[in-house]
Amino acid sequence: MKILVTGGTGYIGSHVAVELINQGHTIEIVDNLSNSQIEVLDKIEQITSTRPVFHEVDLLDQLALDHIFDNTSFDLVIHFAGLKAVAESIEQPLRYYDNNVTSTINLLESMQSHSVKNIIFSSSATVYGDQGVDQCVETMPTGIKLTNPYGKTKYMIEEILKDLAISNPEFSIISLRYFNPIGNHTSGLLGENPNGIPNNLMPYIMKVATGELPELNIFGNDYDTEDGTCLRDYIHVVDLAKGHLAAIDGLKPGFTAYNLGTGRPTSVLEMVHAFEKVSGKPLPHKFAPRRPGDLPKLYANPKKAEQELKWHANLTIEDAIKDTLTFISNK
Ligand SMILES: NC(=O)c1ccc[n+]([C@@H]2O[C@H](COP(=O)([O-])OP(=O)(O)OC[C@H]3O[C@@H](n4cnc5c(N)ncnc54)[C@H](O)[C@@H]3O)[C@@H](O)[C@H]2O)c1
């Protein structure tokens, strides 16, 4: 297949790019490099011996986007491009709505006018919101008590995709609701490297492990969980990437959502102890007050993807930690 990957130099997009090339697909990447580096293309080439065609284009630029579709006839778009920092989205809501929602509308306009009818979208477990339920299943409603603009953009985009599928039955749309991606390609060449203080646990742990940050703050140790810290569903990014290949085979007319998670919850403290065990070094950490908006427990029911896409996560958090340590040592 000829596939356009938006956000393909980013953390998840670059891992999916590698899997797609390895499966024999031809890909082109569009990214404005607002949260990634051009050198990622070198790494993709190093791993796959193939350098994807790259367009440094902002999806907000409809003309430039149309130009990409004018020149290549794509079978499918996989849409990763977007801003993803929850705290930043609360400070800059208009930027998030514009960058995530407007750019997706632009992308869909270009697809529609060029008769490209297949899209896989990077959604998030955050669309389920706060329903007082720990394990999320696709039959649950979405958009319930969403607490931040980032999550609302994912919910809004899913609603737009549903309406598009209703208006044009030729569209085949899959929304993949990621849980908590961690780890990186086993080569250690690709990975997540955010600037500043990260929002997510694993990038935070990495910065403590490399000495860039003095210690890990664990937000809340008085939740109603076994060790008092929050439970999440951490999925190795390579497993997540393989979920996209399974989704390609599962494309069918209409809108369909799938959870991509392991179904196994892990607490923050368990992750810290696992990191210490695999690295053989203590990880300085302290308990801090709860963060507003954090849910105590959130993990996937992954059965729908298992049954319909014949996909399930194979790798463990220890695999992810090992690969993270390789990535850190390559930096
Ligand atoms: N990483 C996670 O924990 C997680 C969880 C759930 C969902 N997601 C979603 O998955 C997708 C990929 O996430 P990621 O972790 O790889 O993030 P990332 O920031 O590493 O990658 C996103 C890429 O999109 C690009 N981009 C952003 N806005 C753009 C625009 N207007 N035009 C062109 N390029 C643009 C960035 O430069 C970046 O390379 C995002 O949509 C994110 O919301 C991520």
Side-chain angles (χ1 to χ4, degrees):
M1 272 196 182
K2 253 196 176 346
I3 303 174
L4 181 66
V5 181
T6 79
T9 43
Y11 168 51
I12 301 171
S14 58
H15 284 86
V16 174
V18 164
E19 298 300 324
L20 291 170
I21 294 168
N22 285 343
Q23 284 288 310
H25 296 290
T26 304
I27 67 163
E28 295 190 15
I29 289 177
V30 52
D31 200 300
N32 65 359
L33 301 177
S34 60
N35 197 37
S36 55
Q37 290 80 37
I38 190 75
E39 290 73 25
V40 168
L41 294 174
D42 302 334
K43 315 282 182 185
I44 294 174
E45 187 175 5
Q46 248 177 290
I47 296 169
T48 65
S49 308
T50 304
R51 193 176 184 85
V53 172
F54 178 69
H55 307 274
E56 186 177 342
V57 163
D58 193 311
L59 298 193
L60 288 170
D61 183 346
Q62 181 86 66
L63 279 180
L65 195 52
D66 270 334
H67 194 61
I68 298 173
F69 282 89
D70 289 342
N71 288 331
T72 309
S73 166
F74 295 105
D75 302 300
L76 164 70
V77 174
I78 309 188
H79 180 33
F80 298 97
L83 297 171
K84 62 168 182 177
V86 170
E88 191 181 64
S89 79
I90 295 169
E91 287 157 17
Q92 304 172 24
L94 299 182
R95 180 169 166 240
Y96 268 68
Y97 288 120
D98 193 31
N99 191 79
N100 291 6
V101 182
T102 311
S103 70
T104 302
I105 295 173
N106 284 351
L107 179 67
L108 296 170
E109 293 273 15
S110 291
M111 287 177 64
Q112 189 151 252
S113 63
H114 292 80
S115 298
V116 182
K117 304 278 172 51
N118 297 311
I119 180 166
I120 296 174
F121 170 61
S122 292
S123 189
S124 164
T126 189
V127 298
Y128 292 110
D130 182 1
Q131 315 197 22
V133 175
D134 304 338
Q135 194 176 26
C136 301
V137 62
E138 294 87 342
T139 47
M140 279 165 48
T142 52
I144 310 296
K145 290 200 225 157
L146 299 178
T147 53
N148 60 77
Y150 167 70
K152 289 180 191 170
T153 68
K154 293 293 174 195
Y155 168 70
M156 287 176 184
I157 293 168
E158 284 203 357
E159 294 302 299
I160 291 168
L161 293 171
K162 287 177 196 170
D163 287 340
L164 181 65
I166 292 167
S167 77
N168 187 339
E170 286 178 11
F171 264 97
S172 296
I173 302 173
I174 286 186
S175 185
L176 297 176
R177 297 176 180 159
Y178 308 156
F179 280 69
N180 299 77
I182 57 168
N184 45 264
H185 190 262
T186 186
S187 64
L189 291 171
L190 298 172
E192 194 175 15
N193 199 9
N195 293 326
I197 297 185
N199 277 296
N200 296 341
L201 180 61
M202 193 53 115
Y204 204 136
I205 288 180
M206 284 161 68
K207 294 219 178 219
V208 175
T210 55
E212 279 173 71
L213 290 173
E215 61 191 348
L216 171 73
N217 283 313
I218 298 180
F219 299 108
N221 63 339
D222 54 355
Y223 286 103
D224 180 21
T225 61
E226 209 152 290
D227 62 25
T229 65
C230 287
L231 298 178
R232 290 291 177 270
D233 187 337
Y234 297 99
I235 173 166
H236 196 298
V237 69
V238 172
D239 273 336
L240 189 82
K242 290 187 172 151
H244 294 71
L245 297 183
I248 295 175
D249 294 337
L251 278 163
K252 57 183 180 196
F255 172 94
T256 318
Y258 294 100
N259 289 340
L260 291 187
T262 66
R264 290 185 303 271
T266 301
S267 78
V268 176
L269 215 46
E270 280 170 336
M271 181 64 92
V272 168
H273 292 147
F275 197 92
E276 289 179 325
K277 196 164 169 213
V278 177
S279 69
K281 289 187 194 140
L283 189 82
H285 58 274
K286 72 169 195 300
F287 296 112
R290 292 180 179 197
R291 262 189 324 196
D294 274 349
L295 299 176
K297 304 174 195 170
L298 193 70
Y299 59 103
N301 177 332
K303 286 211 170 61
K304 187 177 176 191
E306 280 170 18
Q307 283 163 2
E308 294 184 16
L309 302 179
K310 313 285 173 242
W311 168 91
H312 65 270
N314 286 310
L315 299 166
T316 62
I317 58 167
E318 285 76 16
D319 293 321
I321 292 168
K322 203 152 59 66
D323 295 333
T324 300
L325 291 167
T326 313
F327 176 64
I328 291 175
S329 67
N330 277 350
K331 279 211 291 172

